[in-house]
Amino acid sequence: DYWDNVEFVVKEAAKRGIYMALVPVWGSNVKKGYVTSQQVAKYAKFLTDRFRNQPNVIWLNGGDIRGSDSTQVWKTLGNTLLATDPNHLITYHPFGRTTSSRWFHQEKWLHFNMFQSGHTSYAQDQNTQNGSQYREDNWKYVVEDFAHTPAKPTLDGEPSYEEIPHGLHDTSLPYWNENDVRRYAYWSVFAGGCGFTYGHNSVMQFYNKGDKDANFGPKTEWEAALLAKGATQMQYLKKLILSKPYFERVPDQSLIAGEIGNKYDRLSATRGKRYAFIYTYNGRNIPVAMGKIEGKNVKASWFDPRTGTNQPIGTYPNQGTQAFDPPGERKDGNDWVLVLEAL
């Protein structure tokens, strides 16, 4: 039956080292009044009885909905999941341009925050109901989440998907591409995000040509889209971050000497004790305040987010200010990571 199939998929994912973020009930169904707090408590126990022994499950409370809508249902669901399955992580899937911390940060069941930066561009204005929205500046949600205590990990659970139109619904507008996907990923992770969610318009709906119920103007069949440029480039961010001690890494914009920049000009910096990474989306000059990491001298190199390869630059004294000019001309999508390593 349905649940046998879900269990089969979860187990097959586990064999391949894949974690499954399971959404118990979608937000619209709760908003329409189909599910009460009493029902969701019984349902959550049913789910944990079936899946608590699966090692690769993460519970994803909510479902693209503001926590201010049907709040008690979401709290009951979260509390029941925690009580009946204390060994799995739980978070909350909020509505576009909101973050789970605005409603549930102090809840014991919320182990880490999730925000949905959404699919709108700088030029597209949206209703600012229930707090701030930042459009393409998804790094601002990380800053907002880290302003709460106690500190909890956070990540972008739904940024703009590759090959989806700006704002989702108008297919005459430009489509987000692999450059945009990389920018969202590096901006949010360098700001302190614990990870990043990649999405593709065709893959998320298993689009095939001729489908009459397709949404958001998909162009590529889903099997081909599995090898989309943005999808294949996500591994390089993970490779870079895990190449250094992970748990000592912090965001640190003081590495930048001078203008940090706005929108696509923004420089994003993060560091550990003996290394630093600074990201530029458009290849602008990077002025660095040296001496922020250990070491008398530092080795500098360029990391290419498109290929995962490194280009050595040279060795520099770890003091004063040093400017670094990325390869290529300055333009959006000519993104690079300046890597500094203590010697």
Side-chain angles (χ1 to χ4, degrees), residues 212-284:
K212 299 186 183 304
D213 58 349
N215 295 297
F216 316 125
K219 298 179 178 181
T220 306
E221 293 195 290
W222 75 269
E223 289 183 282
L226 290 172
L227 298 177
K229 291 181 179 179
T232 60
Q233 293 165 357
M234 288 296 100
Q235 61 182 309
Y236 305 135
L237 173 58
K238 180 178 180 179
K239 171 186 173 183
L240 177 67
I241 293 298
L242 296 185
S243 69
K244 303 297 181 184
Y246 180 81
F247 290 107
E248 69 177 46
R249 186 179 68 88
V250 295
D252 188 355
Q253 293 296 97
S254 72
L255 282 158
I256 299 164
E259 291 295 324
I260 292 174
N262 295 314
K263 297 183 178 179
Y264 296 155
D265 283 339
R266 177 178 172 81
L267 299 173
S268 299
T270 187
R271 64 166 178 82
K273 295 177 182 179
R274 297 181 59 81
Y275 71 93
F277 302 145
I278 303 177
Y279 175 77
T280 170
Y281 174 61
N282 59 11
R284 59 165 282 197

Side-chain angles (χ1 to χ4, degrees), residues 18-310:
I18 298 172
Y19 280 77
M20 303 292 287
L22 301 184
V23 182
V25 57
W26 200 243
S28 57
N29 294 324
V30 175
K31 187 173 184 177
K32 292 174 182 176
Y34 297 157
V35 184
T36 66
S37 293
Q38 293 76 17
Q39 290 170 327
V40 86
K42 294 179 181 179
Y43 176 49
K45 187 176 185 305
F46 162 79
L47 291 175
T48 56
D49 285 346
R50 184 140 193 172
F51 294 103
R52 69 160 62 95
N53 293 322
Q54 296 299 326
N56 61 323
V57 167
I58 297 171
W59 295 113
L60 190 50
N61 195 355
D64 208 336
I65 190 169
R66 292 182 176 90
S68 55
D69 193 308
S70 311
T71 304
Q72 191 54 52
V73 172
W74 305 123
K75 286 186 176 182
T76 300
L77 178 55
N79 286 325
T80 307
L81 290 172
L82 180 63
T84 57
D85 183 12
N87 296 320
H88 283 123
L89 293 173
I90 308 171
T91 188
Y92 184 89
H93 184 331
F95 190 70
R97 295 161 298 283
T98 65
T99 174
S100 59
S101 68
R102 295 178 185 174
W103 308 285
F104 303 118
H105 190 81
Q106 300 303 326
E107 297 294 324
K108 292 182 179 180
W109 54 262
L110 189 81
H111 295 129
F112 64 98
N113 280 302
M114 177 181 288
F115 58 90
Q116 181 185 166
S117 61
H119 306 270
T120 56
S121 69
Y122 285 124
Q124 293 171 318
D125 192 22
Q126 298 288 331
N127 183 2
T128 57
Q129 179 183 353
N130 288 339
S132 300
Q133 49 137 351
Y134 310 119
R135 294 194 266 298
E136 295 183 60
D137 287 342
N138 68 337
W139 57 269
K140 291 182 178 179
Y141 292 97
V142 182
V143 174
E144 178 181 338
D145 284 350
F146 281 159
H148 297 284
T149 54
K152 293 184 178 182
T154 187
L155 83 163
D156 196 342
E158 187 176 334
S160 296
Y161 291 167
E162 191 167 9
E163 286 193 15
I164 207 166
H166 292 191
L168 293 181
H169 303 292
D170 187 349
T171 56
S172 68
L173 294 176
Y175 279 55
W176 299 109
N177 60 33
E178 70 275 11
N179 298 335
D180 303 300
V181 170
R182 292 195 310 272
R183 171 171 49 81
Y184 281 113
Y186 284 81
W187 271 0
S188 59
V189 171
F190 279 27
C194 64
F196 180 75
T197 305
Y198 166 85
H200 193 287
N201 188 15
S202 299
V203 176
M204 66 95 172
Q205 56 186 309
F206 296 103
Y207 170 72
N208 288 302
K209 289 184 179 178
D211 286 352
K212 299 186 183 304
D213 58 349
N215 295 297
F216 316 125
K219 298 179 178 181
T220 306
E221 293 195 290
W222 75 269
E223 289 183 282
L226 290 172
L227 298 177
K229 291 181 179 179
T232 60
Q233 293 165 357
M234 288 296 100
Q235 61 182 309
Y236 305 135
L237 173 58
K238 180 178 180 179
K239 171 186 173 183
L240 177 67
I241 293 298
L242 296 185
S243 69
K244 303 297 181 184
Y246 180 81
F247 290 107
E248 69 177 46
R249 186 179 68 88
V250 295
D252 188 355
Q253 293 296 97
S254 72
L255 282 158
I256 299 164
E259 291 295 324
I260 292 174
N262 295 314
K263 297 183 178 179
Y264 296 155
D265 283 339
R266 177 178 172 81
L267 299 173
S268 299
T270 187
R271 64 166 178 82
K273 295 177 182 179
R274 297 181 59 81
Y275 71 93
F277 302 145
I278 303 177
Y279 175 77
T280 170
Y281 174 61
N282 59 11
R284 59 165 282 197
N285 187 278
I286 302 177
V288 179
M290 308 295 280
K292 301 292 183 178
I293 62 174
E294 297 176 358
K296 183 177 180 181
N297 297 295
V298 298
K299 179 178 68 173
S301 61
W302 293 115
F303 177 84
D304 188 340
R306 294 164 293 275
T307 64
T309 57
N310 287 281

Side-chain angles (χ1 to χ4, degrees), residues 315-331:
T315 300
Y316 298 86
N318 192 19
Q319 59 184 0
T321 300
Q322 177 67 47
F324 295 88
D325 186 19
E329 62 179 301
R330 179 170 174 172
K331 64 178 182 178

